[in-house]
Amino acid sequence: MTTASDQLSSLIRQRRSIRDFLPTPIPNEVLLQVLEDANWSPSWSNTQPYRIAIASGPMRDKLASELTAKFDAGMKAIAGGVFGKLRAFITRDGMPDGDVKVDFDYPESLLARRRATGFGLYKLLGIEREDRAARNAQMRRNFEFFGAPTVIFVFVHEGLREYSVLDAGIFLQTFMLSAEAHGLATCAQGALATWASPIRAAFDVPDEYNLICGISVGYASEHKVNSFNPGRADVAEMVIPSRRQTSDTKA
C-alpha cells in the first residue's frame, strides 16, 4: 500500500528542472488547481507577500520575443568589447534593468556545485567549454521559456525584505510539487529577472513588488536535456555540527 509519505517522497525526487517543453497548452482547470494548491503555502504571519503574473498564448510569445531581443543586444555588446559595452551603457540597449541583480560572483564555498551543474549539463548536450556560441544559445533558451506554453513571473513585496523572498521560495516549491502531481513540468529561472521592463509593461505590477524570478510550466518533451540530474550532497553536509560534537571529534 502506497502511503501519503511515499507519494510525497516520490514527487520530491522525480521533480526536475525541465529545459525543453512541448508546445501543448495547459488546460485552465489544471493550472488553476496547481495555483490553488500553491496558495496554501505558509508565509510570514500569513502575509503572502508575493504576487504572480501569468503569460500564455500571444502574451507569452510577445514577452519571449522582447526578452530574447534584449539578450541578443546584451551579447552583441559583450562581443563588441569596450566600445560595444560603452555603446550599450549609453543607449541602455540590452543592459539589465531588473529589480534585483542576477549576475554576481558566487561565494567560493558554493562555486564548485554551480560549476559541476553547469559543466554536467553542457556535457550532456555536447557543448564544449570553449564553445561560447553554443553556450550562449543554450542560455538564450531561458528567455524562450525553453518552449513552455506558459510562464509565471514571481514578484515579492520589498517591505518584508528577505522574508518575502523566503516565502516566495516556499510558494514555488509547493507550486512545483503540485505541478508534478498533476503531470506538469516546471523550471524555476532566476535569469527571467534580468529584465523587468517588458514584464512591467505587460502587467499592472504594484510599485512595491519586485520581480525575483520566473517559472516556465508545461509538458516535458523527450529531449535528452530533461534527463539531466545533478544529484544532491549528502544530508550530513547540510547539517552544522554543534561545538560539542566538533570538540569531541577532534579529541
Side-chain angles (χ1 to χ4, degrees):
M1 178 179 177
T2 303
T3 65
S5 61
D6 291 334
Q7 292 176 330
L8 178 59
S9 293
S10 177
L11 282 173
I12 291 171
R13 285 163 176 76
Q14 74 186 37
R15 186 209 62 80
R16 294 286 183 274
S17 292
I18 295 302
R19 295 178 174 86
D20 195 80
F21 291 83
L22 297 172
T24 309
I26 304 170
N28 290 335
E29 61 272 18
V30 175
L31 183 59
L32 179 59
Q33 182 59 65
V34 173
L35 289 171
E36 290 281 2
D37 289 346
N39 194 43
W40 280 94
S41 301
S43 62
W44 183 284
S45 297
N46 197 31
T47 50
Q48 303 163 61
Y50 36 76
R51 295 290 183 271
I52 61 173
I54 306 172
S56 299
M59 175 67 78
R60 175 254 181 236
D61 296 343
K62 181 175 183 292
L63 288 173
S65 177
E66 293 176 352
L67 289 171
T68 51
K70 287 186 175 295
F71 176 82
D72 292 342
M75 291 300 98
K76 181 179 179 181
I78 292 173
V82 174
F83 291 107
K85 294 177 183 177
L86 180 60
R87 178 184 178 280
F89 181 79
I90 295 173
T91 64
R92 310 308 297 174
D93 189 21
M95 292 290 289
D97 62 12
D99 300 326
V100 297
K101 185 176 175 61
V102 300
D103 184 17
F104 50 83
D105 293 332
Y106 279 59
E108 189 65 32
S109 60
L110 305 179
L111 194 56
R113 289 179 188 165
R114 185 214 181 188
R115 286 173 172 165
T117 298
F119 293 161
L121 178 62
Y122 289 151
K123 181 178 180 180
L124 176 66
L125 294 173
I127 299 174
E128 298 294 333
R129 185 175 181 180
E130 298 78 16
D131 191 345
R132 185 171 296 276
R135 292 172 65 183
N136 287 344
Q138 180 61 30
M139 182 63 183
R140 190 180 192 272
R141 292 279 290 152
N142 276 276
F143 305 103
E144 298 171 342
F145 317 129
F146 297 115
T150 297
V151 59
I152 297 176
F153 298 95
V154 182
F155 298 81
V156 295
H157 198 299
E158 61 187 21
L160 285 189
R161 304 183 304 181
E162 296 88 350
Y163 294 99
S164 287
V165 179
L166 174 65
D167 290 343
I170 298 171
F171 172 88
L172 282 171
Q173 175 72 338
T174 308
F175 179 92
M176 289 188 286
L177 291 179
S178 178
E180 189 74 28
H182 284 84
L184 296 175
T186 58
C187 187
Q189 299 164 250
L192 294 183
T194 305
W195 292 284
S197 55
I199 294 88
R200 288 189 174 277
F203 298 94
D204 188 16
V205 182
D207 292 340
E208 65 273 20
Y209 281 85
N210 295 324
L211 177 63
I212 190 70
C213 70
I215 180 166
S216 295
V217 191
Y219 297 95
S221 76
E222 295 296 324
H223 195 289
K224 64 181 179 180
V225 71
N226 294 333
S227 68
F228 181 63
N229 179 8
R232 295 295 185 272
D234 292 337
V235 171
E237 294 185 39
M238 177 177 61
V239 179
I240 301 174
S242 69
R243 294 184 184 277
R244 179 181 179 83
Q245 288 174 326
T246 303
S247 299
D248 290 346
T249 300
K250 290 181 178 178

